[in-house]
């Protein structure tokens, strides 16, 4: 098939608004608040507008918090890579792992281990990606407040969406995921 025969090829830019193209659209208007905040420099973790400093001041349900410790807490990622994508954050506003106290790193490690056990029990995941992006240059979306990602993975979770369409298919709403993980969390923490 030539470009002249292909109905998905735009040949006339003047009338292109009514001519279909080869792209599928996944409409996510709720993401505009996140995009606008980024343009304005808000929500990047500066102490006066840090989402990880603000979250513990809210209810667990509103902040998507699943567990609170003495020095750190666990919450769902608002923009998850997979269902059950958790973040472990110290309460203290500190940007880098080597600036965290021994108590903060100890508790972050303990909360990470508990999170793995809980996620295995409630979501039956097969493995995890665990990591920290330190600084904006390393990909940290909120670079000014230390946080560790815990991303559950399943042997059967590979599909074409992330590779071809740069889209993640989320099979569970955040509120439901928060409830399952929080309900599965041991009460002694």
């Amino acid at each position: 098939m030539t470009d002249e025969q292909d109905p998905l090829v735009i040949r006339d830019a003047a009338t292109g608004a009514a001519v279909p193209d080869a792209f599928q659209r996944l409409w996510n208007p709720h993401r505009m608040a996140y995009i606008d905040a980024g343009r304005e420099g808000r929500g990047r973790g500066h102490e006066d507008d840090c989402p990880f400093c603000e979250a513990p001041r809210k209810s667990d349900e509103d902040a998507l918090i699943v567990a609170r410790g003495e020095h750190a807490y666990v919450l769902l990622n608002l923009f998850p890579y997979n269902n059950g994508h958790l973040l472990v954050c110290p309460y203290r506003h500190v940007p880098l792992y080597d600036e965290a106290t021994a108590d903060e790193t100890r508790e972050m490690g303990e909360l990470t281990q508990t999170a793995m056990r809980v996620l295995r029990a409630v979501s039956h995941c097969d493995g995890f990606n665990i990591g920290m992006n330190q600084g904006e240059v390393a990909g940290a979306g909120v670079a000014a407040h230390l946080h560790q990602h815990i991303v559950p993975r399943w042997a059967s979770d590979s599909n074409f969406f992330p590779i071809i369409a740069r889209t993640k298919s989320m099979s569970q709403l955040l509120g439901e995921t928060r409830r399952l993980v929080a309900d599965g969390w041991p009460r002694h923490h």
Side-chain angles (χ1 to χ4, degrees), residues 54-136:
E54 183 63 31
R57 297 181 196 129
K58 297 179 179 181
S59 72
D60 289 356
E61 291 78 14
D62 288 343
L64 300 174
I65 292 174
V66 298
R68 294 175 187 254
E70 183 179 345
H71 304 282
Y73 67 98
V74 183
L75 75 163
L76 284 170
N77 189 329
L78 189 55
F79 304 106
Y81 296 133
N82 269 345
N83 288 332
H85 180 168
L86 298 175
L87 302 173
V88 181
C89 306
Y91 291 109
R92 192 169 63 96
H93 189 81
V94 57
L96 300 171
Y97 187 73
D98 62 348
E99 295 177 15
T101 67
D103 286 335
E104 288 167 337
T105 58
R106 175 193 48 75
E107 190 167 59
M108 287 178 70
E110 291 170 357
L111 289 169
T112 298
Q113 288 179 326
T114 302
M116 292 171 67
R117 292 181 193 111
V118 170
L119 286 168
R120 259 194 239 101
V122 302
S123 71
H124 311 290
C125 57
D126 300 310
F128 300 92
N129 292 114
I130 296 175
M132 295 182 195
N133 299 323
Q134 303 281 294
E136 285 187 39

Side-chain angles (χ1 to χ4, degrees), residues 4 43 52 60 72 114 139 144 149 156 160 166 180:
E4 292 299 316
F52 299 138
D60 289 356
T114 302
H149 295 260
S156 61
F160 69 92
R166 297 190 54 131
L180 285 171

